[in-house]
Amino acid sequence: MLSKNFAIVKDLMKFLWERKLWWLIPMVLVLLLFGALIMFAQSSAVVPFIYVLF
């Protein structure tokens, strides 16, 4: 399942690169990082520390 998600991200980056939309790549990466942070924070003891960041 995780490899399928990485394949989707890889295809998205390839699409952006081929269409010369390089300026979108940093925004997509930031959104992916925030999504990973939210997923990680839902079921861990790190939640109090994440609230400090925001």
Side-chain angles (χ1 to χ4, degrees), residues 43-54:
S43 62
S44 72
V46 183
V47 175
F49 302 109
I50 292 176
Y51 286 127
V52 174
L53 295 175
F54 299 103

Side-chain angles (χ1 to χ4, degrees), residues 8-18 24-26 28-29 32:
I8 291 170
V9 172
K10 180 182 170 187
D11 288 341
L12 176 63
M13 291 301 158
K14 185 178 173 185
F15 172 79
L16 292 174
W17 191 260
E18 288 175 355
L24 275 177
I25 292 174
V28 170
L29 290 176
L32 289 172

